[in-house]
Amino acid sequence: SENGVTAREKARQWLVSCIGTGEPHLAALGLEKEAPELIQKYGPEKAASQIPEAWLDELTASGTPQQAANAVQRLWDAGADSVVLQPLTADLSNLDEINRMLLPLLKKR
């Protein structure tokens, strides 16, 4: 999204739905216990506002198009052969945003 704050807030809400059970991919980041505890402590409604920026940076490519492109670049720099971008909802306009705003930035790299 061009509005990075709104995009990261949506990513926070999505993360709450994903991290509450201590998903296996959280272990690689050392968050397998801390993430579910955050949900238990604050509840699903308030936990999103408590998710640290660093978690968003590690677990999402969210924010402004440039922030998202930087997140993908960090994955490539870490050795990723490919990166899968998954819209947070089934709304097709999300795919349009990725195509229109993010992919041109990634093609320049």
Side-chain angles (χ1 to χ4, degrees):
S1 169
E2 291 176 310
N3 183 335
V5 173
T6 299
R8 286 179 74 83
E9 181 56 35
K10 288 180 182 179
R12 277 188 166 82
Q13 294 295 329
W14 175 79
L15 273 179
V16 166
S17 70
C18 296
I19 65 175
T21 58
E23 299 295 322
H25 64 279
L26 297 174
L29 301 171
L31 300 175
E32 70 275 14
K33 292 182 182 176
E34 190 176 357
E37 287 172 357
L38 181 112
I39 308 299
Q40 291 171 357
K41 180 177 180 179
Y42 293 101
E45 296 293 322
K46 295 180 182 176
S49 66
Q50 301 300 315
I51 291 176
E53 290 290 316
W55 291 14
L56 284 179
D57 292 340
E58 288 292 328
L59 296 167
T60 72
S62 64
T64 64
Q66 190 61 57
Q67 285 174 303
N70 291 345
V72 172
Q73 185 65 53
R74 281 192 302 274
L75 295 170
W76 286 338
D77 291 346
D81 294 311
S82 61
V83 176
V84 175
L85 299 173
Q86 176 184 339
L88 300 180
T89 70
D91 183 350
L92 293 178
S93 68
N94 291 322
L95 288 176
D96 179 56
E97 283 188 354
I98 290 171
N99 287 329
R100 190 170 35 85
M101 292 189 265
L102 180 58
L103 292 183
L105 295 174
L106 296 174
K107 288 179 181 178
K108 292 179 183 178
R109 295 174 185 236

